[in-house]
Amino acid sequence: MTRANTIRDRILSVILTILSVAWVYPVVMILLNSLKKETAITTGTAFELPSGETFAGLENYVNAIESKGFATAFWYTLVITLTSVALILICCSMCAWYITRVHTWYSRALYFLFVFSMVVPFQMLMFTLSATADRIGSASTIGSIAQRFGLSAPAGLADISLLPLNTPYGICIIYLGFGAGLAVFMFCGFMKSVPIEVEEAAMIDGCGPVRTFFFVVLPILKPTLISVGILETMWLWNDYLLPYLTLDRTKGYMTIPILIQYFRGSYGRVEMGPMMASIMLNVIPIIVVYLLCQKHIIKGVAAGAVKG
Amino acid sequence: MEKAIKRFWPVFVLPTFAAFLIGFVWPFLQGLYLSFCKFTTIDKAQWNGLKNYLYALTEAEFLHSFWFTALFTVVSTICINVAAFAIALALTRSIKGTNVFRSVFFMPNLIGGIVLGYIWNILLNCALTLLGKPLLSLHAPYGFIGLVILMCWQQIGYMMIIYIAGLQSIPNDYLEAARIDGANDRQILWRIKIPNVMPSITICLFLSLTNGFKLFDQNLALTAGEPNHLTEMLALHIYNTFYARSGAVWKGYGQAEAVLFCILVIAISLVQLRATRSKEVQQ
């Protein structure tokens, strides 16, 4: 390496360091502000460090968790994300295996439909999807099903819905449908390169299709499972509009992005303290997970991009 | 083997397909139908022919949001890709701490749009106050610049990862051979590196194009379309037509605009498919 090159690398290092400080700063700024007293957070002073007078400790965090519903929102977001990702991984990998191994016109049509759904923007579906979720949610209560058959349901059970698409538990089914496109596409892309001989050997030895899939195919799929899992988790944890329109807010169902948007919209005056704390409480788990499995995340994202 | 698997379709395909019908196919078809109707709820839809489309194509606000989105997409695509490629070039030289830099630049990508929007809303408004300028929501050009900065912050890391993967897959022989033949750094960049990462460039360009057109969360959180709908992008405009207006006609207009928006995004994706395919043939 020549002298000119080392000097140039030094300069580059300095520029990159400055840039990465600029990259981290916005998050650090929110962290500092979340430690300030409510009254000290104003538009013009966001850059100032918390001082003796304005330092509030963890007050905002306690406030956000205890009285602003952060704990509930966090719980629902966690339930939605974990359940949906599990559903997507299992169901879509099974579906993708079927599509790649069975060659008929309908398996090809199905593949085309899934790929098509990846492209369609959510605004196209938002009204009809949330209306469908509401309607199925209320039409599938035990009370209304019983009514259809001319019966009356036991009082305690009448309000329980069999397919509650507008709750954090049922919304996972919608996510399975809406997130299937990307998952099936990525699984199919990988499965085409998996040698079919292994599966054939297993089936000749007497393995049924279900066992072959779970004990032979699924272990081979592991790297793709991780990639798809990461991509879907990133989407689900941060998704705003779908749960906002679909979840029945009269029953207090919320996710973290909805809660943060709520601080703006409904209280009239923005409660900056708890909002900053909620932002941090949303970002901290992301950063922790990122630091723990950075390699997988970066690989997964790159795989998703190259195939998409 | 195929026959054995075929019989098991209820196990393998049905769960995903049923959810897909509820979550995509049915709402999509219904949305397509409703775009020709006047409705407030799905039950009370009246056939309205092409009126919704005619209205959408002549409404000034919709057209403004289209041009605003297009301009934003072009500007942000250029900024993001130039910066991401430059950083990727720097990070593929053997500088100390490459991994740290890479992690840091990628980090914003994991944070959701709503949260990103508020973070930058607070930061930029503070900066503007200190400079004595009007706030983001009062002056549309600032809103535009703010959106571009926000998108750069979020997306540069992502595109950088793809470019790094592309740059690292160039065989070292090429670079060595070029150096032995006496090529300087600039020639190596333009004649060897850029032609060899063309597939990555196509992918990144289209990713940032579709991301720009579909942008919603960041727009809502950063400017919410203020002032007076001037910084409203297509997705947000459609959302507001649906939910922020009262009256029997608006939902139909919104749905028609959504269909047009959908066609636009699909068209971009088809061009992308074409472009990536023709690149594959060349290699």
Side-chain angles (χ1 to χ4, degrees):
Chain A
M1 194 165 277
T2 60
R3 208 190 156 84
N5 260 338
T6 42
I7 292 174
R8 201 194 286 170
D9 280 355
R10 286 252 171 85
I11 299 172
L12 264 180
S13 298
V14 173
I15 296 175
L16 285 172
T17 314
I18 296 170
L19 261 181
S20 39
V21 170
W23 239 249
V24 179
Y25 179 71
V27 178
V28 176
M29 182 198 75
I30 299 293
L31 176 68
L32 292 175
N33 276 292
S34 70
L35 300 173
K36 286 184 197 168
K37 282 193 181 126
E38 176 80 35
T39 45
I41 308 174
T42 53
T43 332
T45 58
F47 294 149
E48 286 168 21
L49 298 174
S51 63
E53 279 167 51
T54 56
F55 186 72
L58 293 176
E59 198 181 285
N60 290 323
Y61 288 85
V62 174
N63 189 1
I65 292 171
E66 280 183 352
S67 51
K68 296 291 183 279
F70 184 85
T72 347
F74 187 86
W75 168 245
Y76 285 138
T77 315
L78 199 67
V79 167
I80 292 174
T81 308
L82 293 182
T83 323
S84 310
V85 170
L87 268 178
I88 289 175
L89 288 182
I90 295 174
C91 296
C92 293
S93 60
M94 287 165 77
C95 185
W97 190 56
Y98 187 92
I99 289 177
T100 39
R101 292 296 178 246
V102 174
H103 303 276
T104 51
W105 66 268
Y106 54 82
S107 67
R108 236 167 289 143
L110 207 57
Y111 178 71
F112 175 77
L113 260 180
F114 280 126
V115 174
F116 177 71
S117 79
M118 270 196 318
V119 183
V120 172
F122 182 66
Q123 273 69 25
M124 174 72 202
L125 312 174
M126 63 180 181
F127 181 74
T128 44
L129 181 62
S130 55
T132 309
D134 265 347
R135 182 181 293 187
I136 293 180
S138 58
S140 65
T141 53
I142 293 177
S144 58
I145 292 174
Q147 212 173 30
R148 188 160 289 179
F149 291 105
L151 306 164
S152 66
L157 296 174
D159 282 339
I160 297 173
S161 177
L162 295 179
L163 205 59
L165 292 180
N166 49 5
T167 70
Y169 312 102
I171 203 176
C172 300
I173 296 173
I174 294 181
Y175 270 126
L176 171 61
F178 201 68
L182 175 77
V184 169
F185 180 68
M186 283 186 67
F187 282 127
C188 282
F190 184 76
M191 239 170 279
K192 276 177 200 150
S193 64
V194 172
I196 197 169
E197 287 78 10
V198 189
E199 295 156 28
E200 275 172 347
M203 285 175 94
I204 289 168
D205 286 347
C207 238
V210 178
R211 275 221 311 195
T212 309
F213 178 79
F214 281 102
F215 291 102
V216 178
V217 180
L218 214 52
I220 303 178
L221 278 182
K222 206 177 136 199
T224 316
L225 284 172
I226 294 175
S227 300
V228 175
I230 285 165
L231 286 176
E232 303 278 1
T233 310
M234 275 164 57
W235 165 53
L236 286 160
W237 182 263
N238 293 320
D239 199 20
Y240 165 70
L241 196 52
L242 198 157
Y244 176 73
L245 293 176
T246 311
L247 289 180
D248 189 350
R249 263 166 297 148
T250 55
K251 290 184 186 143
Y253 298 134
M254 278 229 183
T255 62
I256 304 173
I258 299 178
L259 181 77
I260 291 171
Q261 174 71 4
Y262 217 61
F263 280 124
R264 257 311 176 61
S266 66
Y267 292 110
R269 208 182 70 73
V270 186
E271 288 184 88
M272 294 301 272
M275 178 171 142
M276 300 263 192
S278 302
I279 289 181
M280 275 328 285
L281 287 169
N282 173 273
V283 171
I284 289 168
I286 297 176
I287 292 180
V288 170
V289 173
Y290 176 52
L291 291 179
L292 287 178
C293 38
Q294 216 189 97
K295 243 188 205 162
H296 290 300
I297 291 179
I298 290 186
K299 228 186 257 166
V301 167
V306 173
K307 287 189 179 124
Chain B
M1 183 175 137
E2 205 180 306
K3 255 188 190 160
I5 302 173
K6 224 180 201 172
R7 270 188 305 139
F8 277 84
W9 68 269
V11 182
F12 284 103
V13 181
L14 198 62
T16 315
F17 188 62
F20 189 60
L21 280 182
I22 298 175
F24 181 79
V25 179
W26 175 243
F28 182 83
L29 294 176
Q30 211 172 23
L32 215 54
Y33 165 72
L34 285 178
S35 71
F36 297 100
C37 293
K38 191 172 157 183
F39 63 98
T40 47
T41 61
I42 292 179
D43 299 324
K44 293 181 196 148
Q46 285 173 318
W47 187 257
N48 204 8
L50 286 172
K51 269 185 206 152
N52 291 335
Y53 286 93
L54 288 178
Y55 175 80
L57 287 171
T58 50
E59 193 204 19
E61 247 176 48
F62 181 63
L63 295 176
H64 172 82
S65 71
F66 171 78
W67 288 114
F68 185 81
T69 312
L71 184 67
F72 165 79
T73 309
V74 171
V75 172
S76 67
T77 299
I78 294 170
C79 293
I80 290 169
N81 284 286
V82 170
F85 192 75
I87 294 177
L89 272 181
L91 290 184
T92 43
R93 300 168 67 95
S94 43
I95 300 177
K96 263 188 199 164
T98 308
N99 282 332
V100 179
F101 289 133
R102 202 177 58 167
S103 314
V104 168
F105 290 132
F106 183 75
M107 182 265 304
N109 216 322
L110 302 167
I111 303 173
I114 292 283
V115 174
L116 281 177
Y118 282 134
I119 293 178
W120 278 90
N121 180 285
I122 295 161
L123 196 153
L124 291 173
N125 273 339
C126 180
L128 288 171
T129 318
L130 292 181
L131 292 171
K133 298 268 163 57
L135 296 182
L136 278 181
S137 55
L138 299 174
H139 190 53
Y142 290 160
F144 180 83
I145 296 168
L147 276 171
V148 174
I149 295 176
L150 164 60
M151 273 311 260
C152 285
W153 191 64
Q154 186 187 12
Q155 304 264 311
I156 283 175
Y158 190 101
M159 304 304 162
M160 175 201 75
I161 296 287
I162 302 174
Y163 283 131
I164 288 180
L167 285 168
Q168 279 172 344
S169 70
I170 301 174
N172 229 347
D173 313 1
Y174 290 13
L175 302 177
E176 269 169 33
R179 226 163 256 144
I180 289 169
D181 288 346
N184 58 25
D185 281 358
R186 186 175 297 163
Q187 281 168 327
I188 289 179
L189 173 64
W190 286 101
R191 300 284 166 83
I192 299 197
K193 285 185 175 166
I194 290 185
N196 273 296
V197 293
M198 257 346 249
S200 311
I201 295 179
T202 332
I203 290 167
C204 287
L205 281 182
F206 278 102
L207 271 177
S208 28
L209 273 181
T210 37
N211 283 343
F213 265 100
K214 285 173 162 184
L215 197 73
F216 177 84
D217 291 4
Q218 288 87 334
N219 193 196
L220 177 69
L222 190 76
T223 66
E226 297 293 320
N228 193 23
H229 302 288
L230 281 177
T231 59
E232 205 172 58
M233 295 177 57
L234 276 173
L236 184 61
H237 178 79
I238 293 167
Y239 175 83
N240 280 340
T241 314
F242 260 109
Y243 295 103
R245 309 223 199 191
S246 54
V249 290
W250 293 106
K251 290 209 164 49
Y253 295 158
Q255 192 62 51
E257 289 170 359
V259 173
L260 292 173
F261 179 48
C262 185
I263 293 172
L264 185 74
V265 176
I266 291 172
I268 296 175
S269 309
L270 285 179
V271 176
Q272 167 188 21
L273 200 68
R274 262 265 178 85
T276 32
R277 283 231 174 115
S278 64
K279 286 277 146 39
E280 275 166 16
V281 175
Q282 277 174 15
Q283 279 186 334

